[in-house]
Structures are given as C-alpha cells and as structure tokens.
Amino acid sequence: TTIDLKPPLQRISQHDTEQTWLEVIPNAAEFQLLESLVEILERVKVASKLWEGDTKPTIQHVIPELFDIKDTLERKHRRRERYVSVFARELLKLIEERFPKCGTENKWNCIAHLLDPEYRGVCLKQFPGVYERTRREIIRMGALYENVPAPAVVVTMEEPEVDENLSAAQRLKRMASPAVSAETIQLNNNRPATEIEIEKFESMEISSCTDLLLFYKEHSKVFPILTKIARRVFPVPASSASSERVFSVGSMVRK
C-alpha cells in the first residue's frame, strides 16, 4: 500500500514546509528499500499462488518458478543494496535448503517440466545431467504403452509476439533451439516409440501454451504415449496447501 501511495506521499513531502510528515513519509532511500523487498516477495507470492491452484495442473510450475525466484534473489544480492542484499542472500539459502537445485532433485517435478509445452525442460539443462536423466525416465515410463502406434504427424504453431518483460525461465525458453529438426526424425522400429515421440515434441514450434491439458488432448494422436504419461504426472499437486486449508476449516467447524 505504501508503494502504491508513493506519488501522493512524495507530493505531500515536497510541500511539507513545517516537516509535519517527516517521521511518517519514507524518504527516497526507504522507498527504494521497500520497492526492492516488494519485488522479492511478489516473486515468491506469485509462485505460491500458482502452486496452490485447485482447478488446473500445478506441478509443472515448480521448477521454472523456483528458477525465477533464484534469479531474482541472486540479482538483488549482487547489487549490494543496503539490507536488501543480506535479506536476498538469507532467503535464497532457505529456499535452496527446501528445494535443492530448484526442485530438480524431485523426479516428478522434472518430468512435469519437460512435458510442459510452454518450456519443455529448458531449466533442467542448467543442471548437468538432469535433462538427460529425466528424458530416460520418461522413456522408461513409456515402455508401459509401447503398443501404441508410433506418431507420424508433426504439428507446428504460430510464432509468438515479442514480449520484452521476460522472466529468467522465459529467457531460457527463447534462447533454446530444437535439439533436432522434425525432418530428420526417422521412424525406426529398433528405437522405443516413446523416444521418437520425445524427439517430435522437442522439435515442435510452440509459441505459447496456457492450457497443457488442452494441448495434450488436441495432440493425443501425435503424442499418444506422452499423453498417457501426462495423465499420470499432471494430477500430482505442486503443494498440499489447499488440502491443509480444508483440514483447518474442518477443525474450525468441528469446534
């Protein structure tokens, strides 16, 4: 609220010839401190709200949001702002303790991030061996559905408009290029069908995907195996906060 009121408060301060508001209105340095702290806490708030969603998949948000939080905290720490630098450093320690390596040590987080059409695992590539390990795990899971006919269609989507306000994960997404061209993918009976699907998924031109469930529904014939894996992975919630709120309300009703 103080940040929202910054313009009128500054005008009051400029015309406060008797210094009546001197002890109440923050000075320029204090406003800068508040704005930096709000930027940090807003990033954490956005992540928490995404993870607590009830009506849409949330697990795919864990790794990119942690990556963005880590990027924000590291930038704030490097700037050496008074108080903010220490706060950012200590908060980063707590987050790394709770989510080592941006959550990439959790198998389900990694699979969800790689199967998310929005990012396709770009953050995993920042941690040595994690992308390859996750890819192998998906191929292993896909073995349960290998009787599904291999896909033979490659679908592309329109290029996105340029957005200058990109998060750290979004910057990685823009820099990432397909690992293999769609034209070079050959259907080989000696290779797992899941591996072929992953290569097609990696090479697709996807501008943006705000509804991954709709994406897999529309592309179920292109990715029959990945669609079945997605149905297993995406129901896993990123956070148990919602269920905990239900229990809290239940206990209040009981009392």
Side-chain angles (χ1 to χ4, degrees):
T1 302
T2 303
I3 299 299
D4 295 335
L5 294 175
K6 180 179 177 180
L9 288 176
Q10 287 182 325
R11 284 196 293 272
I12 292 174
S13 180
Q14 290 171 358
H15 296 86
D16 184 24
T17 56
E18 298 182 1
Q19 296 188 342
T20 306
W21 295 85
L22 182 62
E23 300 296 326
V24 179
I25 298 178
N27 57 38
E30 289 169 337
F31 266 121
Q32 184 178 1
L33 172 62
L34 288 171
E35 288 168 344
S36 292
L37 293 176
V38 167
E39 182 182 350
I40 292 173
L41 297 176
E42 184 66 24
R43 184 67 264 171
V44 176
K45 176 184 176 182
V46 168
S48 299
K49 291 300 180 182
L50 284 174
W51 296 344
E52 293 175 3
D54 294 320
T55 59
K56 293 183 179 180
T58 56
I59 191 171
Q60 77 279 7
H61 294 307
V62 173
I63 290 175
E65 289 302 318
L66 287 171
F67 192 85
D68 290 340
I69 290 172
K70 179 175 179 289
D71 176 74
T72 299
L73 293 177
E74 287 179 342
R75 283 190 291 104
K76 289 297 182 181
H77 177 56
R78 287 195 300 269
R79 289 177 184 174
R80 300 294 179 185
E81 297 178 48
R82 188 179 182 184
Y83 304 121
V84 176
S85 179
V86 175
F87 176 75
R89 182 193 66 200
E90 295 304 313
L91 181 57
L92 182 58
K93 287 180 181 178
L94 293 174
I95 291 176
E96 288 180 338
E97 182 179 345
R98 174 65 179 84
F99 302 100
K101 298 180 181 179
C102 292
T104 58
E105 293 189 351
N106 182 293
K107 177 180 72 174
W108 301 108
N109 290 345
C110 294
I111 293 174
H113 181 48
L114 199 154
L115 292 182
D116 180 5
E118 183 72 17
Y119 291 107
R120 287 182 283 185
V122 292
C123 295
L124 303 181
K125 297 177 181 179
Q126 308 308 304
F127 303 90
V130 175
Y131 185 89
E132 294 75 14
R133 183 187 72 208
T134 305
R135 203 172 184 272
R136 289 193 299 269
E137 181 62 25
I138 292 175
I139 293 173
R140 186 192 67 78
M141 293 176 65
L144 298 172
Y145 314 108
E146 289 290 347
N147 60 328
V148 177
V153 181
V154 175
V155 178
T156 60
M157 299 175 70
E158 295 181 358
E159 287 294 321
E161 296 181 1
V162 177
D163 184 358
E164 308 239 345
N165 301 314
L166 299 177
S167 67
Q170 290 169 334
R171 290 197 299 271
L172 287 179
K173 172 190 168 186
R174 290 298 179 91
M175 291 187 294
S177 58
V180 58
S181 171
E183 290 75 15
T184 65
I185 298 175
Q186 302 295 326
L187 297 180
N188 187 330
N189 292 331
N190 295 325
R191 299 168 62 210
T194 309
E195 183 178 355
I196 296 171
E197 285 195 24
I198 291 177
E199 290 183 0
K200 286 182 176 291
F201 181 66
E202 291 171 330
S203 65
M204 280 186 71
E205 294 180 10
I206 304 175
S207 59
S208 179
C209 179
T210 57
D211 190 333
L212 56 85
L213 294 183
L214 180 61
F215 172 89
Y216 280 103
K217 180 180 179 180
E218 293 178 343
H219 297 83
S220 59
K221 292 183 179 179
V222 182
F223 306 118
I225 298 175
L226 294 186
T227 297
K228 291 181 181 296
I229 296 174
R231 288 172 181 168
R232 289 182 57 189
V233 174
F234 290 123
V236 178
S239 170
S240 61
S242 295
S243 61
E244 289 173 0
R245 285 199 298 269
V246 172
F247 282 116
S248 298
V249 172
S251 64
M252 291 172 64
V253 171
R254 181 175 58 83
K255 292 179 180 178

